[in-house]
Amino acid sequence: MERMLYRQKIDTSIQIVTPENIAFRYQLAGPFQRLPAFLIDFGVRVATMLAVAIALAILGFISSGLAWVLLLLAYFVLSWFYGVLFETYFNGQTPGKRVLDLRVLTDQGRPINGEQAVLRNLFRLADISFPLVSLIAASCSRRFQRLGDLVAGTIVIVEESRRLTHVVDSW
């Protein structure tokens, strides 16, 4: 008797049922949908660092030692708190995610809190340091979760477009 192997289709949507028995369907964002958002956010951070460096250069009355300390402080704040602050206070979206209609939610479909934003952004360093390992981990996860998402219990979804397209008048 022949044994048939069935390939499981990759489904990028999930359904989450609330305690009130209401079902929500979300489209998951895969690694290659999330990469452009990361690059946009990286560009925002680089542009901010350049603006700080230019501002410090214009303020020439500050000693060069103090200017370097302020520049390093700005780098530290942007590196560690950029994602945390945006994802906590802007409903799970950094500027890059907002441009691409992505949002971070808990794996239960709820908005993330500050603790989850901190956890997922702490593990970003591991994702950046070992990109191939992170890409493989995200690809093997059924919900395309990177290491920070797995630890924080979060997912990244593609929001439905709110734009009105192709309005047809039946007259």
Side-chain angles (χ1 to χ4, degrees):
M1 185 167 146
E2 241 179 84
R3 191 173 166 194
M4 295 185 74
L5 297 176
Y6 292 98
R7 287 188 171 177
Q8 184 177 7
K9 290 184 178 180
I10 296 177
D11 187 9
T12 61
S13 65
I14 60 169
Q15 182 172 328
I16 297 176
V17 180
T18 67
E20 295 82 13
N21 208 22
I22 299 171
F24 291 98
R25 182 163 291 284
Y26 296 111
Q27 180 184 353
L28 295 169
F32 295 106
Q33 289 174 301
R34 295 167 68 166
L35 180 62
F38 173 78
L39 293 175
I40 290 170
D41 289 329
F42 181 75
V44 169
R45 290 194 309 261
V46 168
T48 304
M49 282 301 298
L50 284 173
V52 168
I54 290 169
L56 290 173
I58 290 173
L59 298 173
F61 62 87
I62 297 177
S63 71
S64 64
L66 181 59
W68 276 108
V69 168
L70 292 174
L71 194 61
L72 288 174
L73 183 64
Y75 175 75
F76 174 78
V77 169
L78 282 172
S79 296
W80 289 100
F81 298 108
Y82 174 88
V84 172
L85 292 174
F86 275 109
E87 289 175 357
T88 301
Y89 295 110
F90 291 94
N91 202 15
Q93 290 183 311
T94 60
K97 288 182 184 79
R98 182 172 294 264
V99 167
L100 297 172
D101 291 328
L102 303 179
R103 181 177 307 278
V104 181
L105 297 175
T106 68
D107 53 10
Q108 301 299 311
R110 299 176 187 256
I112 66 169
N113 59 34
E115 181 182 332
Q116 289 169 312
V118 168
L119 279 174
R120 71 184 306 275
N121 282 286
L122 278 175
F123 279 83
R124 186 173 310 281
L125 181 62
D127 290 328
I128 292 171
S129 300
F130 306 103
L132 187 58
V133 172
S134 298
L135 182 62
I136 291 170
S139 297
C140 291
S141 168
R142 290 183 56 195
R143 294 182 170 189
F144 302 119
Q145 294 168 292
R146 62 177 183 82
L147 297 174
D149 291 320
L150 290 169
V151 170
T154 58
I155 57 174
V156 180
I157 60 145
V158 179
E159 289 195 309
E160 291 182 21
S161 180
R162 291 182 216 89
R163 297 178 191 98
L164 186 62
T165 59
H166 302 306
V167 176
V168 177
D169 191 6
S170 62
W171 294 88

